[in-house]
Amino acid sequence: MSKAPHHGRDHMPRRLVAATPVLPILIVFAIVVVDLICGSGMTSVPLLAVGPALAATTNGPRGVLCVGLLAAALGATLGIRDGGQGRELAVVLAALLAVTLASVLASALRGRRERVLAAVRSVAEAAQHALLQPVPATVGPFQVAVRYSAAAAEARIGGDLYALVSTPYGVRLIVGDVRGKGLPAVGTAALVLGVFREAAYDEPDLLAVVARIERSLARNLGSDDFVTAVVAGYPRAGQLEVVNCGHAPPLLVRESVVVPVEPDLPAPPLGLRTLSGETPALQVLPFTDGDQLLLYTDGVTEARNHGREFYPLAEGLARHASEEPARTVTALHDELLAHVGGRLHDDAALLLLRIPVAPEPPAAPAASDAGRIGSCSP
């Protein structure tokens, strides 16, 4: 029982050091040292206001007030030493105290904004986990890796969507992009994912899953809203079904060769079928051991560098493809951020599937070896 208070006292010096405005205090003392060396007189005293002003950007109100009082005390000492007149010195010190009080207020407001932002981020993270549920590293026969980045870093979520579920009809997945940004896009993404997760379990036909999403969007979206998406399924070994609704073509990696999976019949995005009258088609691909499929959103392929050049995703995938999807996706994401200079201007999602190569069965012993083994005497 007696150890708990001692443990708290051990952490108090660390917290005190972390909260101490070291840089502002050093700047204040540097100004004082320069004044003592150069003898600049009263002209250096107003510069002491830099201390509390800088402390307001990094420290709490107490730290700012301490720096301000220290600056005022040192300023008064310098003013008296340099022979400043009483009225002039009083005006300079009053201005220094006014800057300190303003800095204290600014520090308090900054702290309040940071607490509000932290609360918003925690809610956004909870919403992201509810909307974009974590995908395990293995789903059915697949190795899986996902990487998602929202353009609004403070929000953590956006209009891109993905889901991968194991159903009685095999593994099914969706990757899509909602037109627009902000909360309306997040709401539409939530609607699409909710319908997909339900229909994926209920409908034996993948086209029926797409049709249910289409009907739901037709009832809930405006005339100018839509969702591009790729819906895929793995109903049996060696066979992959793909339905592309106006989305960027997935990239198939087979024997180190990257090939875009272009749809046989282009289909409109989800939510626009009633306007075009066209229906999506089911595309069946062979998908066997060692094959990989990368699905992504346009935030990846439309990311530009300072020279306005798009990120070459197919070339990047050919460079970084490996037997570990997580390592491949991480390398692609890092290269994408380097291409744009560290900050994406649109939501970006990457989802990579891979069927691991089945281990070869152990070779049976040769007949001559078996005979020799059987003839050995104890």
Side-chain angles (χ1 to χ4, degrees):
M1 295 294 292
S2 61
K3 293 183 179 180
H6 178 71
H7 180 74
R9 286 195 299 268
D10 290 341
H11 288 280
M12 285 183 64
R14 297 180 184 178
R15 292 197 297 266
L16 183 60
V17 171
T20 301
V22 178
L23 182 60
I25 290 176
L26 291 177
I27 291 177
V28 168
F29 278 112
I31 295 172
V32 172
V33 171
V34 171
D35 181 86
L36 293 175
I37 295 175
C38 301
S40 55
M42 287 290 294
T43 57
S44 63
V45 176
L47 296 177
L48 295 172
V50 174
L54 179 61
T57 64
T58 57
N59 296 93
R62 288 185 179 181
V64 176
L65 184 60
C66 291
V67 175
L69 293 178
L70 175 64
L74 293 175
T77 303
L78 290 178
I80 295 172
R81 172 186 174 276
D82 295 331
Q85 298 179 3
R87 182 181 180 87
E88 180 185 5
L89 181 59
V91 171
V92 172
L93 293 179
L96 184 56
L97 291 175
V99 171
T100 299
L101 293 177
S103 301
V104 169
L105 178 60
S107 175
L109 294 176
R110 178 184 57 80
R112 181 180 179 183
R113 286 195 298 269
E114 288 179 350
R115 289 190 294 272
V116 171
L117 181 58
V120 170
R121 283 179 172 173
S122 65
V123 172
E125 288 176 352
Q128 183 188 33
H129 283 291
L131 180 62
L132 303 176
Q133 298 175 0
V135 176
T138 302
V139 179
F142 297 120
Q143 296 173 301
V144 186
V146 177
R147 197 66 181 263
Y148 174 77
S149 296
E154 293 81 6
R156 307 287 176 91
I157 53 178
D160 286 3
L161 58 96
Y162 62 83
L164 190 147
V165 295
S166 182
T167 74
Y169 312 105
V171 175
R172 288 176 169 176
L173 63 105
I174 183 172
V175 171
D177 188 359
V178 179
R179 177 185 178 274
K181 300 181 183 296
L183 289 178
V186 175
T188 302
L191 173 65
V192 172
L193 290 175
V195 177
F196 168 77
R197 290 182 177 120
E198 181 180 358
Y201 281 94
D202 294 342
E203 302 291 347
D205 186 1
L206 192 65
L207 285 174
V209 176
V210 176
R212 281 184 54 171
I213 300 174
E214 178 70 38
R215 289 195 298 270
S216 179
L217 291 178
R219 291 193 300 267
N220 294 280
L221 290 188
S223 57
D224 296 331
D225 297 327
F226 59 86
V227 179
T228 66
V230 171
V231 183
Y234 192 73
R236 58 190 63 87
Q239 189 177 92
L240 185 71
E241 298 177 343
V242 178
V243 179
N244 193 326
C245 299
H247 198 74
L251 297 177
L252 177 66
V253 183
R254 177 174 295 153
E255 297 179 353
S256 302
V257 178
V258 179
V259 179
V261 182
E262 299 286 352
D264 296 332
L265 294 175
L270 296 168
L272 298 181
R273 185 187 301 183
T274 56
L275 299 179
S276 65
E278 300 177 0
T279 57
L282 185 70
Q283 192 172 4
V284 181
L285 308 172
F287 201 65
T288 57
D289 292 359
D291 289 349
Q292 302 185 57
L293 188 73
L294 178 67
L295 299 98
Y296 54 93
T297 58
D298 59 8
V300 178
T301 52
E302 294 181 2
R304 299 178 185 235
N305 60 12
H306 296 298
R308 308 300 294 169
E309 296 173 332
F310 293 111
Y311 173 64
L313 178 60
E315 298 175 11
L317 180 58
R319 282 192 300 270
H320 299 296
S322 68
E323 296 180 358
E324 300 179 15
R327 185 173 67 183
T328 303
V329 169
T330 299
L332 287 174
H333 185 264
D334 293 344
E335 189 174 81
L336 174 65
L337 291 181
H339 180 80
V340 300
R343 179 71 183 271
L344 293 171
H345 299 286
D346 194 7
D347 303 330
L350 295 163
L351 190 152
L352 180 62
L353 303 176
R354 181 180 183 271
I355 296 185
V357 178
E360 297 183 0
S368 58
D369 295 338
R372 284 197 298 270
I373 295 173
S375 62
C376 291
S377 59

